[in-house]
Every structure is written in C-alpha cells, then in structure tokens.
Amino acid sequence: MNNEVIVLFGAGAIGEAIVRRVSAGRKLLLADYSEDKLAMMKKELQEAGFSVETIKANLSSRDSIKEVVSKAQSLGDIMGLVNAAGVSPSQASAEEVLKVDLYGTSVLLEEFGKVMAPDGAGIVISSQSGHRLPGLSIEDNKALAMTPTEELLSLPILQADVITDSLAAYQYAKRTNVLRVAAESVKWQARGARINAISPGIVMTPLALDELNGPRGAGYKKMFESMVTKRPGTPDEIASLAELLMDRRSAFITGSDFLADGGITAQYWYGNVSEVRN
C-alpha cells in the first residue's frame, strides 16, 4: 500500500463508481453526512479489496470540510478528490441547495486546493442543469467565479428575486460549480494539480429516482425518447470519463467542464424538449 490518498465526498452511486476505478492500491477516505451510507460503502469497498477510512462530514460547513482535509493529510499525500455530494431540487429548499451545492462545493475547492499533492487531480460532479441557464453577463460570471467564498451567498444574483424556487437554486449552483472549477484551477495549477468538472444528465442513482418520482418525472420520461440513448445514463458511464480526467493521460486538461447527458441539452436548446427545465 502506498502513501497516496483519494478523498470522496458523497457516498453515492456515481462517487463509488469513480473511486473503484482510481483507488486501487491507494488509501481511500469516504466523507458523507450519513453514517449509515458511510458504513455500507466502506463494507462493500473493503470486501472488494480497497483500503478505506470514513469520516462524517457536512458539505455546507467549512469547519467540517477542514476536518476532512486534516484527516486526509494524516493518511498521506492527497492525490485525488471526487466531489459527488449534494442535494437535488426535489430534496431540499432553495436555501439549502445554495448552501450545500454552491457554497459547500466552493469551500471544498478552496480548502483542498491548498493541500493537493503535485500531479494530483480532482473531479466535481456538477449537472446538466447548469447548462440550462441562459448566458449570464460577463460581470455575473466573474462574480460567481471569483467572489470570496464567504460572500458568495450575498451576491444580488443569488437573492430571492432571482432564485424563485429550488430548481432555480440548483441551476445557479451547478453553473457556479463549473465557474468555480475554472477559477480555482488557477490556484491548483500553482501546486501542480488539476481540477475539472463533469456535468451529467439523468443518471440512474437514488437521487435521480427521487426526481423521476417527483413533480417533474413525466417530463424526464418524455425527455428520454428524444435522446440518442433512449435511456438515462449509468454511474459507470460517468466514472469512465472521470477515470480518464484523473489519469496522467489527461495532464493537459484542467479547469474544464464536460457535459455528459446523452445529447439532451442540445435538444433543449435546439430541438423540441424545451419544456423540460432541468
């Protein structure tokens, strides 16, 4: 066992699929708010031969994220970060979505950007939802990308007159994820590390099932018919891309976002499924 550490935030299907591909022979630290999920994933991965530690964590808390950083550093050199944590618009209020998905991810990028080992790489799992917003102004893009993290939630663009519901909050959070990945990648580069985002479409996970069984479920099912796959994606399809981006084969790629959605965003803007907002 070497001294390299991979950190996963979010003990869910996509995150697990990714770390199974990039954590062999390394130490794996799982962080999640649910101790039950942590215990279940730890058992599955240990039985598959992985070296696993866990820590309960709250993505919306800087102090909690710092505890994860400290734990990871105690295990070795942090070579990989996967952020697959978050809440969906069917699970949470607009305020909670912004606090977890937008603010929390921004803190995570900032804190891990201070400690990543040279040649390390990170992945943020964003969402196709960030690509559903119309183009923002140069000023708004810069504000979302570069405002000091503790001031982010006070931006005018993130107030109740713009963020009218949890879906709008989710869309702005995911757009911000991509912008923050680009901005923070500059700091990661100073350490010789890389960070990229993946924006999946509908991928079959428990979170996606909540959406499919929620108020927008019928729209999603109709959406599948227009897609090249005629079906939602799988965690392994996203993990294949993440594995490539975290590998040395992708040493020339950082600060980027990769939309992996079966073509539905193209359909949304240029086809006939514009009635599906998410």
Side-chain angles (χ1 to χ4, degrees):
M1 184 67 60
N2 64 32
N3 202 40
E4 296 181 347
V5 180
I6 303 293
V7 179
L8 169 62
F9 256 82
I14 292 176
E16 180 176 0
I18 294 171
V19 297
R20 281 180 177 270
R21 293 167 181 258
V22 302
S23 301
R26 293 165 154 175
K27 298 172 184 176
L28 175 59
L29 177 61
L30 306 178
D32 196 279
Y33 190 74
S34 168
E35 292 179 319
D36 289 343
K37 287 183 179 179
L38 287 174
M40 184 181 304
M41 186 178 289
K42 180 178 181 178
K43 181 176 183 294
E44 291 175 353
L45 290 172
Q46 283 184 328
E47 289 175 349
F50 293 91
S51 173
V52 186
E53 299 278 346
T54 65
I55 181 171
K56 183 175 180 178
N58 180 356
L59 184 59
S60 67
S61 164
R62 184 181 290 272
D63 286 343
S64 182
I65 290 170
K66 285 184 173 181
E67 289 176 3
V68 178
V69 170
S70 179
K71 174 74 170 180
Q73 287 181 299
S74 74
L75 297 174
D77 299 324
I78 306 174
M79 297 301 300
L81 170 68
V82 178
N83 180 28
V87 293
S88 81
S90 292
Q91 295 175 321
S93 66
E95 182 180 12
E96 186 177 359
V97 169
L98 292 176
K99 183 69 172 176
V100 176
D101 292 0
L102 190 152
Y103 169 80
T105 298
S106 300
V107 172
L108 196 70
L109 288 167
E110 183 179 322
E111 292 296 338
F112 273 89
K114 300 173 184 177
V115 298
M116 293 297 296
D119 292 326
I123 292 290
V124 169
I125 300 299
S126 185
S127 169
Q128 66 176 358
S129 274
H131 292 263
R132 299 300 174 87
L133 285 176
L136 302 177
S137 69
I138 293 174
E139 292 77 13
D140 284 339
N141 277 335
K142 188 172 182 179
L144 291 172
M146 300 188 68
T147 296
T149 310
E150 296 304 322
E151 300 173 19
L152 258 176
L153 297 180
S154 298
L155 287 174
I157 197 174
L158 298 178
Q159 302 314 301
D161 58 331
V162 177
I163 307 298
T164 56
D165 56 30
S166 59
L167 179 56
Y170 192 71
Q171 291 175 327
Y172 272 88
K174 295 307 180 178
R175 175 68 64 87
T176 302
N177 289 169
V178 169
L179 292 168
R180 299 299 283 201
V181 161
E184 290 296 324
S185 75
V186 177
K187 300 172 186 176
W188 283 52
Q189 287 177 57
R191 298 188 61 84
R194 300 181 298 108
I195 179 71
N196 290 291
I198 298 175
S199 292
I202 301 297
V203 175
M204 288 313 298
T205 66
L207 187 148
L209 282 173
D210 284 345
E211 290 295 308
L212 289 172
N213 293 322
R216 290 176 290 274
Y220 290 127
K221 291 165 187 173
K222 181 179 179 182
M223 181 174 67
F224 296 149
E225 292 304 312
S226 69
M227 294 167 59
V228 65
T229 56
K230 307 298 182 186
R231 61 167 175 82
T234 67
D236 281 322
E237 288 173 306
I238 304 305
S240 293
L241 176 56
E243 179 185 20
L244 174 63
L245 291 173
M246 295 182 75
D247 189 82
R248 287 293 301 165
R249 292 172 293 170
S250 295
F252 203 59
I253 303 173
T254 192
S256 298
D257 172 50
F258 294 83
L259 179 63
D261 69 345
I264 197 60
T265 297
Q267 290 277 1
Y268 175 86
W269 287 111
Y270 309 113
N272 60 0
V273 294
S274 59
E275 69 273 12
V276 182
R277 287 181 61 203
N278 186 24

